C-alpha cells in the first residue's frame, strides 16, 4: 500500500500546530481589543436622550453646580438623576414654549417620569458609592471627564475593573482637596505628587484593593 | 464527537449565555423602572400620613419657622461660624443661579430671562423675619418653586443665616467692624 500522506505533510502538520497557537493567540488579542473598544465599553459614545439635555449649556454656560440637580451625590451611593420638578424650577419660565422641552412639560403635567437613557452602568455584582469618593477628594471630572463641555452625556472612562484598580492602587495620582471636588477646571497648585501624598495622609486614604471592597 | 467532549462545551456555552444576567440581575436599582407599580417607578413614595418614629416634627419653630402662627424672628438653631459657612456653600448651589452671588437678584438664570427676584438688600427685605425666608425655601414664593425636597431643614436655616450675613455685608458701616480690624480696612482701602 502506498503512503497516504506525502512527506511534505509533516511540514504542513508542524506549521499548522504553530499556526493554531498563533491563531488562538490572535483571536484572544482581537477579543481583548473588542472588549476594550468603544463598541463594548461605550466610551465617548453620546447617547440619545428623550430631551437633548446639555451639560455644556447648563454647567459650562450658566454655571449651575452639579448638586443643584444631582442632590444626593454627597450623601448617598447614587448621584441620582433630577426629577422633573428640578427642571421646571427654571423652565416654568425659560424656554417655556420650546417644543424641545415638551417632554419635560408633559412629564410635569401627567406626573410620569422622563425615561432618561442610562449612560454609566456598572454590572450588578459591583458595589460603588459616590459619597466616599467625594469625601476622600476624588473629583467628578476624574471619573466623568469634562462634563461641562458635553452637549450630550457620554462615558469618559471604561469603568473596567482595571480602571478602578488603577486608582485604588495609587490614589495619590488623582486626589485633590475636598473643596475642589466639583470644579471642572481644577489645576493643582503644586505638583500632583506633592499634593497627592499630603492629601492621602490628611484624609487617611487607604489603598482598597481587596476583592470584597467592590464585590460584596 | 462523544458526549464527553460536547457536554463541557455545551456547559461553557451555557455559562457565557448567563453572563449578561449576572451583569443585570433581576433586582431593582434606585430610580429604575418597574411594570409592577402603576406609576412605573421603582422608588416608592411614603404612604400619605405616615409619621416615622422621631419624625413627628412637633417643633414648629424649627420645622415651619413659625411660633403660634407668626414667623419666628430669631434662628431656632445655634448661630456658629460653621453654620454660616455651610449656608454660604448651600446658597451658592441653590440660590445664586437666580439671586446672584451677593443676593442682588442678578443671577445667570435671571439674565437669561427668568423673572427678576427682589434684591435681598432692599429695606423691605431686610426687615422680613427669618421665619419668612425659611418659609419661602420650604414652600416656594410666586414664581420661585419649593426647595424642600432638595434642601434638608438644617441646611435651610444655614442658608437663612447666610442671607442675613449677606444683608449685613452690603449695609455695613465702620461701626460694625471690630476695633482691632479697622486700621487694616482703611489701609487696604487706600491702596
Amino acid at each position: 500500500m502506498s503512503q497516504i500522506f506525502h512527506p511534505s505533510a509533516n511540514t504542513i502538520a508542524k506549521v499548522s500546530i504553530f499556526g493554531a497557537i498563533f491563531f488562538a493567540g490572535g483571536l484572544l488579542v482581537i477579543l481583548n481589543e473588542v472588549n476594550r473598544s468603544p463598541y463594548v465599553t461605550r466610551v465617548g459614545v453620546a447617547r440619545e436622550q428623550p430631551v437633548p439635555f446639555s451639560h455644556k449649556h447648563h454647567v459650562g454656560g450658566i454655571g449651575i453646580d452639579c448638586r443643584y440637580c444631582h442632590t444626593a451625590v454627597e450623601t448617598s451611593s447614587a448621584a441620582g438623576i433630577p426629577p422633573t420638578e428640578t427642571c421646571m424650577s427654571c423652565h416654568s419660565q425659560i424656554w417655556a414654549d420650546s417644543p424641545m422641552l415638551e417632554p419635560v412639560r408633559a412629564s410635569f403635567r401627567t406626573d410620569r417620569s422622563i425615561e432618561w437613557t442610562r449612560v454609566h452602568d456598572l454590572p450588578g455584582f459591583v458595589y460603588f458609592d459616590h459619597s466616599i469618593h467625594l469625601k476622600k477628594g476624588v473629583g467628578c471630572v476624574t471619573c466623568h471627564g469634562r462634563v461641562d463641555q458635553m452637549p450630550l452625556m457620554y462615558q469618559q472612562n471604561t469603568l473596567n475593573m482595571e480602571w478602578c484598580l488603577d486608582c485604588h492602587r495609587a490614589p495619590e495620582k488623582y486626589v485633590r482637596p475636598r473643596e475642589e471636588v466639583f470644579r471642572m477646571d481644577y489645576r493643582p497648585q503644586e505638583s500632583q505628587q506633592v499634593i497627592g501624598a499630603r492629601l492621602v495622609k490628611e484624609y487617611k486614604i487607604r489603598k482598597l484593593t481587596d476583592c470584597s471592597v467592590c464585590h460584596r | 464527537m462523544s458526549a464527553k467532549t460536547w457536554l463541557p462545551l455545551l456547559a461553557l456555552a451555557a455559562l457565557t449565555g448567563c453572563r449578561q444576567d449576572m451583569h443585570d440581575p433581576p433586582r431593582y436599582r434606585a430610580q429604575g423602572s418597574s411594570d409592577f407599580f402603576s406609576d412605573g417607578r421603582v422608588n416608592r413614595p411614603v404612604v400619605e400620613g405616615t409619621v416615622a418614629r422621631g419624625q413627628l416634627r412637633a417643633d414648629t419653630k424649627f420645622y415651619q419657622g413659625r411660633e403660634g402662627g407668626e414667623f419666628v424672628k430669631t434662628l431656632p438653631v445655634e448661630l456658629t461660624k460653621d453654620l454660616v459657612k455651610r449656608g454660604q456653600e448651600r446658597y451658592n448651589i441653590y440660590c445664586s443661579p437666580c439671586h446672584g452671588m451677593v443676593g442682588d437678584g442678578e443671577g445667570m438664570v435671571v439674565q437669561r430671562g427668568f423673572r427678576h427676584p427682589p434684591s435681598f438688600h432692599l429695606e423691605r427685605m431686610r426687615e422680613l423675619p427669618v421665619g419668612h425666608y425659611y418659609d419661602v425655601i420650604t414652600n416656594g414664593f410666586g414664581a420661585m418653586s419649593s426647595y424642600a425636597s432638595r434642601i434638608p431643614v438644617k441646611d435651610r436655616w444655614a442658608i437663612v443665616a447666610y442671607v442675613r450675613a449677606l444683608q449685613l455685608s452690603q449695609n455695613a458701616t465702620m461701626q460694625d467692624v471690630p476695633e482691632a480690624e479697622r486700621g487694616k480696612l482703611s489701609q487696604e482701602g487706600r491702596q
Side-chain angles (χ1 to χ4, degrees), chain A residues 3 7 30 36 60 65 70 72-73 76 81 83-85 97 138 141 143 159 162-163 181 184 204 214:
Chain A
Q3 281 180 317
I30 290 171
R36 286 153 191 258
D65 193 287
H70 303 295
V73 74
S76 85
I81 300 298
T84 306
E85 291 92 78
D97 304 316
V138 186
V141 71
C143 297
L159 306 192
E162 179 187 24
W163 173 75
V181 159
M184 285 283 125
K204 301 194 176 58
C214 307

Side-chain angles (χ1 to χ4, degrees), chain A residues 61-62 65 67-68 71 74 80-81 86 89-90 93-94 111-113 118 121-125, chain B residues 22-23 25 27 29 31 38-39 41 89-90 93-94 97 108-109 112 114-115 143 145 147 150:
Chain A
I62 318 172
D65 193 287
R67 291 164 286 182
Y68 189 95
T71 321
E74 287 172 298
I81 300 298
T86 301
S89 65
C90 292
Q93 297 202 355
I94 287 178
D111 198 30
R112 302 289 303 181
S113 303
R118 225 192 143 93
D121 197 359
L122 285 175
F125 51 76
Chain B
M22 294 291 288
H23 276 220
R27 64 151 201 232
R29 297 170 73 169
Q31 295 192 309
S38 62
D39 61 2
R41 294 174 190 147
E89 189 188 77
R90 297 292 120 174
I93 298 169
Y94 295 109
M108 274 306 270
V109 178
R112 302 291 166 98
F114 204 83
R115 191 192 153 105
S145 60
Y147 284 77
R150 274 180 276 169

Side-chain angles (χ1 to χ4, degrees), chain B residues 2-80:
Chain B
S2 72
K4 254 200 192 140
T5 15
W6 63 257
L7 264 182
L9 278 180
L10 197 72
L12 261 180
L15 271 181
T16 52
C18 294
R19 190 167 183 268
Q20 281 315 310
D21 284 357
M22 294 291 288
H23 276 220
D24 204 5
R27 64 151 201 232
Y28 285 152
R29 297 170 73 169
Q31 295 192 309
S33 64
S34 152
D35 41 23
F36 183 75
F37 299 105
S38 62
D39 61 2
R41 294 174 190 147
V42 162
N43 292 21
R44 304 313 308 153
V46 177
V47 174
E48 225 175 296
T50 313
V51 179
R53 218 167 235 284
Q55 288 185 10
L56 185 55
R57 303 196 152 199
D59 183 354
T60 60
K61 256 158 86 180
F62 185 60
Y63 288 108
Q64 296 171 13
R66 289 170 196 268
E67 197 175 25
E70 294 284 308
F71 285 130
V72 294
K73 297 205 166 56
T74 52
L75 288 179
V77 290
E78 200 193 338
L79 181 62
T80 60

